[in-house]
């Protein structure tokens, strides 16, 4: 209950004056009674304002303390760690001392909950009784009132305005009644002075209680800090309960990742800060966060992406990004500068990635500190009126769409920031907010730069209209006036700005005149109001959202059972890890390949790549020379050039291809397994391709091979009969392969023969018929005289002329190139047949070769292929050693690096692991995570209640 001090009751002198009026004549008594009634009403209502403000301040103080007490974490497990009783008694003593300071006003604990209601009932009763008395008096003295006498009230019914004539007449009557003052002007000044003194007294009382609340918070801050720090010291025994606002922020982060468009499920409350560019949005956020955490610019756009700031209480004033482990100490200017640079860098990177002036990529940040209000705020880019040439063409529209997107959330609290130093008609954001929240059920209006507005504004009533909601068409839950700077002093600290704000409102004419209410000023009151609105909306909506996600989870689980009944619900990360394990298993299989298998694979691949060069550039040119000495000389020269230039690097490429083919063979064989999952095929192929792109053979390997190959090719001595037979067999096989290829090539040139025409119904084309005619003429020349085996490697000009004339006589026109290409195929086939016959004869030529006897059979071709065969053996052996000892391990390392890189590139993994099965599993995982976090948050929220 509220108890008034009778010693300080200003009503008693006025009642005494009423008694003195009994001796005055009736006519004058009525006028004086009117004066006394009016003065009495003003004094009582002003006294009520003082008493109401003081009582409300005391109730607010008690409520703030109770809220702080309820918000403490569960510390029942800290019984052994609590301070000794002496410290607790000292702390209680500070509370009692505070109570003694406000002993003029006592609050009955039993009526605390009904205090506000009873005060309202008392005010209503008092106003009714006073209005009835005044009305009765006015009815009696209507005839004696002059035209200049009038009474007006403001919208709240508190202010009384009297014309100078009436005030003078009332003053004279009062003087005569009291018998004290004989000068009416002095009496008017006295009344005004009294009103101003009572107004100043009201301001001082409110500021007094505000200071006491802050003092109490500072005295208890150290205790809260010690509790939180001791909780961290014993975290090994039991983890401290996570902050409620941190849990809520994690839910929002999960929802942003799940649905960044906010269209389906992300309807949880958050505070969306919107305003015109340079209206002071960022400064308001910094005052609430109690740190200069955002980059600043002189008139240019600084906020280019949404910044989500989670405010929570903690022992130290720190900031941290969601995706970073670094903590910025907000009490150090160096860390603050680093934090501002990091925010600016992240914004610019998000803009570069999108190629626009503004980006919708959210930058998430957590700010903790003693006494911070718990809430989640999202700072959006400022609304602009005109685009500059440096901006993208769609910048203005992008900002509007982004603002509408965030405000369209039915549970978003809109913090509408309006610059008070500019004309209200220039605002763009108020119309936007009124469109998104026409009834003002979730909008809080903030007027910034009020100090500049008061200094420059000629009509103070305009600010009153703004803060009463009568100037703009938009509606709001509350209207606040704040000061967030000192006129261009960007280097001021938050404490300096806060002190400047308090000093301004303490001395402000707007505040003293009653045009701005005491609860409508300072960022501290704004922060408390926003936090209260935020948590109220959270409690009203969070369970509804949890039920929505529960239903969504049930639907997804049912869809999975119907579509993939025998498969586990593996999300993309789990699938990637499974594919990673299978790829590494195949890498291990490379070590199981035997040395013999490696050499066989390398030898086969080497000959496939070099056989054409051996035949076309070494064997055929030397064999067509017609002389044994010339053959050996040409072979030696060409082999040496080949070994010194292209052969070593070509062999290294072959070794790389063999390693790749063998690894791919393991992957292909795994596809035949019944446990094979096709969903991994694209990922495995991409990993293999990227790994072999990075894989480079050892740099010194070509030089090592060059020395080995030169030494091997210089050896012309076949050591035994077994090597001779092996070389002959190798030569025969190579000649047969080339002969078969030559026959197929010639067959394609001339088309099907008579047998194919009759039995397989194949017919030659026009070009094939032409080449068949050329072939018949060439064969006629070769068979003429039976010297086909001794014919030169090319046709003579006379022979070409004969062929052309014979064909022209048959009506066939042919060019020179057709004749030469046809001759080359025919001669090549004949030469290979002759070389193959010669190889058959050389099977028994080792004795002649070993004795050095010159005979009819020349087996230089066998020696050539023996040298090549030996070179293939030593090369495959060297490459096999390199593969087994080094290259397979290096490949394994590179595959692991590629897998690691792919694992960090989420877009790459999403591109390679796709399909309905993957997306459904991903959605199930995210829904379960969100639901679990929501339920955990609801449990903690209910516990806090």
């Amino acid at each position: 209950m509220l108890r008034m001090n009778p010693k300080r009751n200003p009503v008693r002198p006025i009642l005494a004056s009423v008694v003195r009026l009994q001796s005055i004549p009736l006519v004058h008594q009525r006028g004086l009674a009117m004066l006394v009634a009016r003065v009495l009403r003003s004094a009582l209502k002003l006294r009520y304002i003082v008493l109401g403000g003081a009582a409300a301040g005391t109730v607010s103080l008690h409520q703030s303390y109770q809220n702080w007490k309820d918000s403490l974490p569960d510390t029942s497990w800290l019984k052994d760690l609590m301070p000794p009783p002496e410290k607790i008694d000292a702390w209680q003593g500070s509370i009692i001392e505070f109570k003694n300071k406000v002993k003029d006003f006592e609050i009955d604990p039993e009526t605390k909950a009904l205090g506000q209601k009873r005060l309202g009932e008392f005010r209503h009763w008092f106003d009714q009784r006073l209005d009835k008395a005044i009305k009765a008096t006015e009815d009696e003295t209507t005839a004696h009132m002059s035209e200049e006498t009038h009474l007006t009230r403001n919208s709240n019914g508190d202010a009384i305005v009297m014309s100078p004539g009436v005030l003078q007449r009332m003053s004279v009557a009062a003087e005569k009644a009291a018998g004290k003052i004989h000068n009416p002007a002095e009496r008017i000044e006295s009344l005004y002075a009294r009103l101003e003194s009572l107004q100043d007294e009201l301001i001082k009382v409110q500021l007094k209680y505000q200071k006491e609340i802050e003092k109490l918070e500072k005295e208890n801050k150290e205790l809260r800090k010690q509790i939180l720090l001791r909780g961290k010291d014993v975290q090994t025994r039991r983890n401290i309960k996570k902050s409620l606002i941190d849990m809520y922020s994690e839910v929002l982060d999960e929802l942003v990742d799940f649905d960044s468009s906010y269209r389906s499920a992300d309807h949880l409350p958050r505070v969306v800060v919107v305003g015109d560019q340079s209206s002071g949005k960022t400064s308001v956020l910094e005052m609430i966060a109690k740190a200069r955490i955002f980059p600043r610019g002189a008139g240019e756009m600084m906020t280019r992406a949404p910044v989500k700031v989670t405010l929570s209480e903690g022992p130290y004033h720190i900031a941290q990004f969601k995706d970073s482990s670094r903590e910025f100490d907000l009490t150090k200017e160096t860390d603050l500068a680093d934090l501002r640079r990091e925010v600016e860098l992240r914004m610019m990177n998000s803009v570069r990635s999108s190629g626009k002036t503004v980006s919708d990529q959210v930058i998430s940040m957590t700010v903790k500190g003693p006494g911070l209000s718990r809430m989640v705020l999202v700072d959006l880019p400022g609304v602009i009126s005109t685009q500059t040439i440096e901006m993208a063409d769609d910048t203005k529209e992008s900002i509007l769409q982004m603002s509408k997107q965030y405000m369209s959330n039915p549970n978003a609290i809109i913090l509408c920031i309006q610059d008070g130093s500019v004309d209200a008609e220039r605002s763009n954001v108020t119309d936007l907010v009124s469109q998104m929240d026409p009834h003002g059920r979730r909008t809080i209006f903030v007027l910034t730069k009020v100090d500049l507005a008061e200094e420059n504004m000629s009509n103070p009533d305009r600010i009153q209209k703004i803060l009463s909601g009568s100037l703009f068409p938009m509606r709001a839950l509350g209207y606040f006036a704040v000061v967030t700077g000192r006129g261009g002093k960007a280097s001021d600290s938050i404490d300096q700005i806060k002190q400047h704000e308090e000093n301004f409102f303490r001395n402000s004419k707007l505040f003293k005149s009653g045009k701005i209410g005491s609860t409508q000023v300072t960022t501290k009151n704004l922060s408390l109001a926003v936090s209260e609105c935020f948590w109220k909306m959270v409690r009203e909506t969070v369970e509804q959202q949890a039920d929505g996600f529960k239903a969504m989870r049930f639907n997804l689980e049912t869809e999975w059972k119907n579509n993939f009944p025998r498969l586990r619900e593996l999300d993309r990360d789990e699938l990637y890890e499974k594919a990673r394990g299978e790829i590494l298993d195949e890498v291990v299989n490379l070590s199981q390949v035997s040395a013999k298998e490696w050499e066989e694979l390398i030898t086969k691949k080497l000959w496939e790549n070099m056989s054409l060069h051996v035949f076309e550039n070494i064997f055929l040119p030397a064999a067509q020379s017609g002389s044994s000495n010339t053959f050996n000389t040409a072979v030696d020269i060409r082999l040496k050039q080949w070994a010194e230039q292209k052969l070593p690097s070509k062999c290294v490429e072959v070794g790389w291809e063999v390693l790749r083919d063998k690894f791919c063979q393991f992957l292909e064989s795994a596809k035949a397994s019944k446990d094979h999952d096709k969903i991994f095929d694209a990922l495995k192929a991409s990993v293999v391709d990227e790994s072999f792109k990075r894989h480079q053979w050892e740099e010194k390997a070509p030089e090592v091979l060059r020395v080995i190959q030169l030494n091997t090719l210089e050896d012309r001595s076949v050591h035994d009969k077994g090597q001779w037979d092996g070389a002959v067999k190798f030569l025969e096989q190579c000649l047969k392969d080339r002969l078969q290829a030559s026959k197929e090539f010639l067959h394609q040139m001339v088309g099907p023969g008579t047998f194919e025409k009759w039995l397989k119904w194949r017919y030659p084309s026009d070009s094939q018929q032409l080449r068949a005619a050329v072939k018949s003429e060439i064969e006629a020349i070769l068979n003429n005289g039976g010297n086909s085996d001794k014919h030169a490697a090319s046709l003579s000009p006379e022979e070409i002329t004969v062929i052309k004339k014979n064909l022209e006589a048959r009506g066939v026109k042919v060019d020179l190139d057709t004749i030469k290409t046809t001759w080359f195929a025919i001669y090549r086939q004949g030469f290979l047949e002759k070389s193959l016959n010669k190889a058959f004869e050389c099977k028994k030529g080792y004795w002649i070769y070993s004795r050095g006897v010159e005979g009819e059979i020349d087996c230089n071709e066998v020696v050539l292929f023996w040298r090549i065969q030996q070179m293939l053996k030593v090369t495959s052996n060297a490459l096999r050693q390199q593969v087994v000892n080094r290259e397979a391990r290096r490949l394994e390392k590179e595959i692991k690096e590629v897998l690691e890189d792919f694992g960090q590139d989420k877009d790459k993994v999403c591109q390679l692991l796709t399909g309905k099965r993957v997306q459904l599993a991903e959605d199930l995982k995210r829904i379960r995570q969100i639901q679990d976090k929501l339920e955990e948050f609801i449990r903690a929220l209910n516990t806090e209640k």
Side-chain angles (χ1 to χ4, degrees):
M1 298 177 62
L2 296 177
R3 301 177 182 175
M4 296 184 290
N5 189 351
K7 296 181 180 181
R8 300 179 60 188
N9 194 339
V11 182
R12 289 192 171 186
I14 299 175
L15 296 177
S17 299
V18 174
V19 175
R20 296 190 189 100
L21 292 176
Q22 302 297 327
S23 61
I24 301 177
L26 181 59
V27 175
H28 297 287
Q29 286 183 3
R30 290 178 179 177
L32 292 177
M34 183 64 185
L35 170 65
V36 171
R38 293 179 182 277
V39 174
L40 177 63
R41 180 183 181 187
S42 300
L44 288 176
K45 292 181 75 64
L46 190 60
R47 181 63 176 177
Y48 164 70
I49 293 174
V50 175
L51 293 176
T58 307
V59 174
S60 176
L61 171 63
H62 189 87
Q63 186 67 30
S64 300
Y65 169 73
Q66 189 64 32
N67 290 340
W68 166 80
K69 181 179 177 182
D70 294 340
S71 65
L72 287 176
D74 183 11
T75 57
S76 59
W77 52 277
L78 288 175
K79 291 181 179 178
D80 298 335
L81 301 175
M82 290 298 292
E86 294 80 6
K87 291 187 178 180
I88 296 178
D89 294 338
W91 180 69
Q92 291 177 344
S94 65
I95 303 297
I96 296 173
E97 182 181 356
F98 169 74
K99 178 181 177 182
N100 294 332
K101 291 180 181 179
V102 293
K103 61 184 179 180
D104 290 342
F105 307 98
E106 298 181 359
I107 300 177
D108 188 354
E110 296 180 358
T111 62
K112 180 188 68 174
L114 301 175
Q116 297 294 338
K117 182 178 179 181
R118 292 183 179 179
L119 286 175
E121 293 176 352
F122 173 76
R123 177 178 179 178
H124 181 70
W125 172 83
F126 185 81
D127 287 344
Q128 283 183 338
R129 297 296 300 271
L130 190 59
D131 288 340
K132 290 180 180 179
I134 293 174
K135 185 177 180 181
T137 306
E138 288 176 347
D139 292 341
E140 294 177 2
T141 60
T142 302
H144 301 89
M145 298 297 292
S146 63
E147 294 180 356
E148 60 184 356
T149 304
H150 63 278
L151 178 68
T152 60
R153 299 183 184 180
N154 64 1
S155 58
N156 295 326
D158 295 333
I160 299 176
V161 181
M162 304 179 188
S163 63
V166 174
L167 186 60
Q168 183 176 1
R169 186 184 301 164
M170 293 172 64
S171 300
V172 173
E175 292 169 8
K176 293 180 179 180
K180 295 182 179 180
I181 300 178
H182 302 284
N183 188 351
E186 293 180 359
R187 182 57 180 169
I188 294 173
E189 293 179 359
S190 176
L191 289 175
Y192 278 121
R194 181 60 177 168
L195 290 175
E196 290 182 359
S197 64
L198 290 175
Q199 187 77 22
D200 291 339
E201 183 180 357
L202 171 63
I203 296 174
K204 290 179 182 179
V205 170
Q206 291 174 339
L207 293 176
K208 175 184 176 182
Y209 285 109
Q210 186 69 27
K211 292 292 184 183
E212 292 298 334
I213 291 174
E214 293 179 358
K215 181 179 179 181
L216 182 61
E217 289 180 350
K218 290 181 180 178
E219 290 176 354
N220 296 327
K221 185 187 300 182
E222 187 64 26
L223 177 60
R224 294 199 303 266
K225 180 178 179 180
Q226 292 299 327
I227 291 175
L228 292 173
L229 290 177
R230 289 187 179 183
K232 288 185 177 180
D233 293 337
V234 297
Q235 197 168 8
T236 54
R237 293 189 300 173
R238 175 175 176 179
N239 292 330
I240 287 183
K241 182 175 63 177
K242 191 179 297 184
S243 170
L244 195 63
I245 189 63
D246 289 337
M247 296 168 63
Y248 183 77
S249 180
E250 289 179 1
V251 173
L252 289 182
D253 290 337
E254 290 287 342
L255 289 171
V256 169
D257 294 338
F258 175 71
D259 184 9
S260 59
S261 64
Y262 308 100
R263 293 173 183 169
S264 62
D266 189 9
H267 288 164
L268 289 177
R270 80 203 68 197
V271 182
V272 179
V273 186
V274 295
D276 297 326
Q277 184 177 346
S278 302
S279 61
K281 297 187 295 81
T282 301
S283 299
V284 171
L285 261 69
E286 288 180 335
M287 291 292 289
I288 295 176
K290 299 182 180 181
R292 307 298 290 269
I293 59 178
F294 293 106
R296 318 188 77 79
E300 61 177 318
M301 179 183 293
M302 296 304 297
T303 305
R304 296 176 178 269
V307 182
K308 182 173 78 70
V309 182
T310 302
L311 300 180
S312 61
E313 192 174 24
Y316 300 113
H317 203 186
I318 58 174
Q320 185 177 5
F321 290 100
K322 170 191 172 184
D323 55 355
S324 175
S325 59
R326 178 182 177 182
E327 292 183 346
F328 297 87
D329 188 349
L330 301 184
T331 61
K332 298 180 180 179
E333 187 57 38
T334 54
D335 279 22
L336 279 171
D338 292 343
L339 177 62
R340 290 191 289 266
R341 282 195 296 269
E342 181 68 18
V343 172
E344 185 174 7
L345 180 62
R346 287 172 179 256
M347 286 186 180
M348 298 308 298
N349 289 337
S350 66
V351 171
R352 292 192 192 100
S353 63
S354 62
K356 299 182 179 180
T357 306
V358 294
S359 170
D360 59 355
Q361 297 181 17
V362 181
I363 300 174
S364 296
M365 180 194 307
T366 299
V367 178
K368 297 182 179 180
L372 288 182
S373 299
R374 304 176 302 166
M375 67 181 88
V376 178
L377 305 102
V378 181
D379 186 20
L380 299 178
V383 179
I384 60 176
S385 301
T386 306
Q387 293 182 181
T388 62
I389 58 175
E390 298 176 351
M391 296 181 180
D393 296 337
D394 61 344
T395 300
K396 181 178 179 180
E397 186 63 25
S398 297
I399 295 175
L400 289 175
Q401 292 301 324
M402 187 186 305
S403 301
K404 290 180 179 179
Q405 179 179 342
Y406 276 85
M407 289 190 293
S408 62
N409 177 357
N411 297 320
I413 301 170
I414 303 173
L415 198 61
C416 178
I417 309 297
Q418 168 68 35
D419 188 349
S421 64
V422 300
D423 295 337
E425 291 77 7
R426 295 166 55 185
S427 173
N428 297 310
V429 71
T430 52
D431 290 339
L432 181 62
V433 172
S434 62
Q435 293 175 12
M436 305 308 297
D437 185 24
H439 301 290
R441 295 171 181 170
R442 50 189 180 90
T443 299
I444 296 177
F445 181 86
V446 182
L447 188 67
T448 61
K449 307 178 185 179
V450 185
D451 52 345
L452 301 179
E454 183 184 52
E455 180 180 342
N456 301 328
M457 187 172 292
S458 59
N459 183 12
D461 293 335
R462 193 170 177 85
I463 294 182
Q464 180 188 8
K465 291 181 179 180
I466 294 176
L467 296 177
S468 63
S470 59
L471 184 63
F472 295 117
M474 63 168 288
R475 299 180 182 179
L477 291 172
Y479 298 82
F480 292 86
V482 299
V483 176
T484 57
R486 293 199 298 171
K489 296 183 179 181
S491 60
D492 287 349
S493 65
I494 295 297
D495 292 336
Q496 291 174 326
I497 298 175
K498 182 179 179 182
Q499 186 62 41
H500 169 69
E501 184 183 41
E502 292 179 355
N503 293 336
F504 166 76
F505 284 115
R506 184 182 298 124
N507 303 315
S508 171
K509 297 178 182 179
L510 297 170
F511 188 65
K512 285 186 175 182
S513 63
K515 296 183 182 298
I516 303 179
S518 60
T519 59
Q520 289 183 277
V521 298
T522 71
T523 51
K524 182 173 182 63
N525 287 334
L526 170 65
S527 177
L528 293 174
V530 174
S531 178
E532 181 181 356
C533 183
F534 170 78
W535 283 106
K536 179 181 178 182
M537 190 168 289
V538 167
R539 295 179 188 277
E540 292 174 352
T541 60
V542 67
E543 292 188 0
Q544 180 181 358
Q545 293 299 316
D547 293 339
F549 279 99
K550 186 181 296 183
M552 190 181 299
R553 174 178 176 176
F554 176 78
N555 294 336
L556 291 176
E557 288 177 344
T558 303
E559 184 178 358
W560 180 274
K561 292 178 181 178
N562 293 333
N563 290 277
F564 311 102
R566 297 182 181 87
L567 295 177
R568 289 178 55 201
E569 301 167 2
L570 299 179
D571 58 41
R572 189 172 277 108
D573 292 337
E574 293 172 328
L575 289 173
Y576 182 78
E577 288 301 319
K578 185 177 180 181
R580 184 176 184 271
E582 292 183 3
I583 293 174
L584 294 178
D585 289 342
E586 302 303 337
V587 174
V588 174
N589 290 335
L590 289 175
S591 60
Q592 308 299 324
V593 181
S594 63
K596 180 180 179 182
E597 185 178 357
W598 277 121
E599 291 189 12
E600 290 177 352
L601 292 172
I602 293 173
T603 301
K604 181 180 179 181
K605 194 71 174 181
L606 282 172
W607 181 243
E608 289 177 357
N609 283 268
M610 66 176 61
S611 60
L612 182 62
H613 179 83
V614 170
F615 270 95
E616 300 295 335
N617 298 89
I618 299 176
F619 173 64
L620 290 178
Q624 293 171 4
S625 62
S627 172
S628 175
N629 294 330
T630 306
F631 177 88
N632 291 330
T633 302
V635 165
D636 290 342
I637 294 173
R638 291 176 182 271
L639 285 176
K640 186 173 183 181
Q641 291 177 347
W642 183 40
E644 288 182 345
Q645 298 175 2
K646 298 181 179 181
L647 181 59
S649 59
K650 190 67 176 177
C651 292
V652 168
E653 293 178 7
V654 167
W656 182 89
E657 291 176 1
V658 170
L659 181 60
R660 181 198 61 188
D661 294 344
K662 190 61 180 177
F663 184 70
C664 293
Q665 181 182 348
F666 285 134
L667 294 178
E668 289 295 325
S669 61
K671 293 181 180 180
S673 173
K674 62 179 181 180
D675 297 330
H676 172 67
D677 196 338
K678 294 182 179 180
I679 202 170
F680 299 137
D681 291 347
L683 174 62
K684 291 181 179 179
S686 181
V687 169
V688 172
D689 292 342
E690 183 63 25
S691 301
F692 278 98
K693 285 180 182 178
R694 300 184 185 184
H695 181 70
Q696 299 293 329
W697 209 269
E698 193 174 7
E699 293 182 358
K700 62 181 181 180
E703 183 62 24
V704 173
L705 288 178
R706 186 181 69 83
V707 175
I708 296 174
Q709 290 167 347
L710 279 173
N711 293 333
T712 304
L713 290 173
E714 288 178 356
D715 187 5
R716 303 183 185 87
S717 301
V718 182
H719 303 296
D720 54 38
K721 182 67 166 54
Q723 292 183 359
W724 180 271
D725 293 339
V728 171
K729 183 178 180 180
F730 178 55
L731 174 60
E732 290 179 352
Q733 185 61 45
C734 295
L735 289 172
K736 288 179 180 179
D737 293 339
R738 300 308 301 176
L739 179 59
Q740 181 63 30
S742 181
K743 288 181 178 180
E744 292 177 357
F745 177 73
L746 183 59
H747 182 268
Q748 292 178 358
M749 290 179 63
V750 301
T754 304
F755 178 80
E756 291 179 288
K757 290 179 183 179
W758 284 95
L759 297 181
K760 296 185 179 180
W761 297 81
R762 294 178 180 175
Y763 300 95
S765 62
D766 295 339
S767 61
Q768 289 176 338
Q769 291 178 357
L770 177 61
R771 290 185 181 276
V774 175
K775 176 187 175 186
S776 62
E777 293 296 329
I778 292 174
E779 290 177 346
I781 292 176
L782 291 175
N783 294 329
N784 187 16
N787 58 351
S788 60
D789 295 339
K790 298 179 180 180
H791 196 283
S794 60
L795 292 171
S796 63
E798 292 81 5
E799 292 173 334
I800 294 175
T801 302
V802 171
I803 293 173
K804 292 185 67 174
K805 288 183 178 181
N806 292 338
L807 290 174
E808 288 176 356
R810 295 165 53 183
V812 179
K813 292 184 179 181
V814 64
D815 55 9
L816 184 61
D817 291 337
T818 303
I819 296 175
K820 288 184 177 180
T821 54
T822 306
W823 159 258
F824 177 79
I826 295 173
Y827 178 80
R828 172 66 57 84
Q829 180 177 337
F831 181 83
L832 291 174
E833 289 175 349
K834 182 178 66 173
S835 298
L836 184 58
N837 293 330
K838 187 178 180 180
F840 290 152
E841 295 177 358
C842 288
K843 287 182 179 180
K844 301 178 181 180
Y846 178 73
W847 184 85
I848 299 174
Y849 166 79
S850 62
R851 298 293 187 275
V853 179
E854 295 183 2
E856 295 180 357
I857 303 176
D858 181 9
C859 294
N860 291 325
E861 294 87 348
V862 178
V863 178
L864 168 62
F865 276 83
W866 176 80
R867 295 165 69 181
I868 293 174
Q869 188 180 39
Q870 297 305 307
M871 182 272 295
L872 290 173
K873 289 181 180 180
V874 297
T875 302
S876 61
N877 181 268
L879 289 174
R880 186 264 306 167
Q881 294 180 14
Q882 293 176 9
V883 168
V884 174
N885 297 334
R886 290 181 294 275
E887 301 304 327
R889 297 177 182 176
R890 291 176 61 196
L891 177 62
E892 180 180 2
K893 180 181 178 181
E894 285 156 357
I895 289 176
K896 290 180 178 179
E897 291 177 354
V898 171
L899 289 170
E900 188 69 23
D901 293 343
F902 279 17
Q904 296 177 359
D905 189 350
K906 298 300 182 183
D907 294 337
K908 189 76 173 179
V909 176
C910 292
Q911 180 182 358
L912 297 173
L913 292 175
T914 58
K916 181 179 179 180
R917 168 185 162 192
V918 181
Q919 191 59 48
L920 189 57
E922 280 287 301
D923 292 344
L924 264 173
K925 175 186 176 183
R926 302 311 301 275
I927 290 297
R928 286 169 177 162
Q929 289 177 348
I930 295 171
Q931 184 185 357
D932 292 343
K933 289 185 178 296
L934 271 172
E935 291 178 352
E936 180 185 6
F937 172 74
I938 291 173
R939 288 193 296 269
L941 188 65
N942 293 332
T943 302
E944 188 176 87
K945 288 182 180 179

